[in-house]
Amino acid sequence: SKHEQPKITTEGYNNTLEFWSVDNAGNEEPHKFLTGIKLDKTPPTGSIMISNGRPYTSSREVNLALLASDTLSGVGFMRFSSDNITWTAWEHYSLIKEWMLQYGDGRKIIYVQFKDHANLTSQIYYATITLDTTPPIIQLITPKPNSQISNNEVTVQWTGADETSGISHYEIRLDKGPWINVGNNTIYNFKNLSYDTHVVEIRAFDNAGNIATLSINFIIITPKSPAPSISLSNLLLIVGVVTIIVIVIIGLAYLLRKYT
């Protein structure tokens, strides 16, 4: 009998192979059919997203969302890299995966590659996120800690900075009261304060969720009463009265010496 290697060249998931044998006398056996043969010549496609697409994170532990597709043989495996050089071993495809970012604040890249059941590998996909584990910096301008203020209002002013992800917003509160979101403003005025010791707290949030807190004490003291003012007429009157009293005393002293 004559044997030939069958070939399927049409990509698809429902190819049919028809085969039979013929002997040297020309006798041909009944034809047989194999149906539903898949030929996959197209690599899978996919995507990767880190922490639901957030641009910043304060934790090295992140979640990856993987989405890949392959019409014919189906997605079977995936692998990862932090530098596009060293890769993890191939593992079964999954929609989610936990990943540990490399140490050090800054921009991180995660690469992924998919492979289908026909052993075809996809192109390399990647996503980025910035790791920021350092809280912001807050510096107080006014008032000075433990200062005494002879007014029932105070203006609090400060500066803040965050090198990696930037300042998101500030919050401030007085005497453990409710936090007030002041946005990116760095000045706030408290009025109608009681004559007592007060505590102001300021919180700075960066875009990765790190928080820095600054606390200051100050005292509102009772203002000193101003010295009474004396008009010119009142001053002249007082001088005149004093002068008369002095003259009277001198006169009485003279009389007493004369008749004693």
Side-chain angles (χ1 to χ4, degrees):
S1 59
K2 184 178 180 181
H3 300 279
E4 292 183 0
Q5 185 69 30
K7 293 183 179 179
I8 298 175
T9 59
T10 303
E11 184 176 28
Y13 55 86
N14 196 24
N15 287 290
T16 299
L17 176 64
E18 179 182 2
F19 64 97
W20 65 94
S21 62
V22 179
D23 62 20
N24 292 323
N27 298 309
E28 184 177 306
E29 70 172 337
H31 291 205
K32 298 178 182 179
F33 297 89
L34 289 177
T35 60
I37 300 174
K38 297 179 181 179
L39 176 61
D40 186 357
K41 298 191 294 183
T42 304
T45 59
S47 65
I48 178 175
M49 184 168 60
I50 308 172
S51 297
N52 295 321
R54 290 168 49 198
Y56 305 101
T57 179
S58 61
S59 173
R60 290 181 57 224
E61 298 180 10
V62 295
N63 292 318
L64 309 182
L66 295 316
L67 186 61
S69 64
D70 187 87
T71 304
L72 294 176
S73 63
V75 181
F77 307 94
M78 59 184 182
R79 65 175 184 170
F80 301 90
S81 175
S82 294
D83 56 11
N84 200 18
I85 298 174
T86 303
W87 291 82
T88 63
W90 287 104
E91 59 186 271
H92 290 288
Y93 168 64
S94 175
L95 293 175
I96 57 174
K97 181 178 176 61
E98 294 181 354
W99 185 261
M100 187 72 72
L101 297 175
Q102 292 180 323
Y103 283 103
D105 288 359
R107 183 172 178 262
K108 308 295 181 182
I109 305 177
I110 303 176
Y111 301 88
V112 65
Q113 192 173 33
F114 303 99
K115 183 165 64 172
D116 63 18
H117 289 97
N119 213 33
L120 300 170
T121 57
S122 72
Q123 69 180 66
I124 295 172
Y125 300 92
Y126 69 91
T128 64
I129 194 168
T130 298
L131 175 63
D132 182 1
T133 61
T134 306
I137 297 174
I138 311 177
Q139 291 183 330
L140 180 67
I141 298 178
T142 59
K144 294 181 179 180
N146 300 314
S147 59
Q148 295 184 352
I149 302 171
S150 58
N151 193 356
N152 66 347
E153 68 177 78
V154 65
T155 298
V156 183
Q157 188 173 6
W158 66 94
T159 61
D162 187 86
E163 182 178 355
T164 305
S165 62
I167 296 293
S168 168
H169 68 281
Y170 298 99
E171 293 180 357
I172 190 170
R173 71 175 179 179
L174 175 69
D175 298 332
K176 303 298 181 181
W179 288 101
I180 304 169
N181 189 330
V182 296
N184 288 111
N185 292 321
T186 56
I187 187 170
Y188 194 82
N189 182 257
F190 291 101
K191 297 182 178 181
N192 302 318
L193 300 178
S194 60
Y195 299 113
D196 200 352
T197 299
H198 297 278
V199 180
V200 167
E201 295 171 276
I202 306 168
R203 296 196 302 195
F205 295 75
D206 66 20
N207 286 296
N210 299 298
I211 305 173
T213 303
L214 173 68
S215 179
I216 56 170
N217 295 347
F218 61 89
I219 304 172
I220 300 295
I221 62 174
T222 304
K224 295 181 180 179
S225 300
S229 59
I230 301 176
S231 64
L232 179 60
S233 60
N234 289 336
L235 179 60
L236 294 175
L237 177 62
I238 293 172
V239 171
V241 171
V242 171
T243 302
I244 293 172
I245 293 174
V246 170
I247 293 173
V248 170
I249 293 174
I250 293 174
L252 290 174
Y254 174 77
L255 292 175
L256 287 174
R257 290 182 62 185
K258 182 177 180 181
Y259 296 104
T260 56

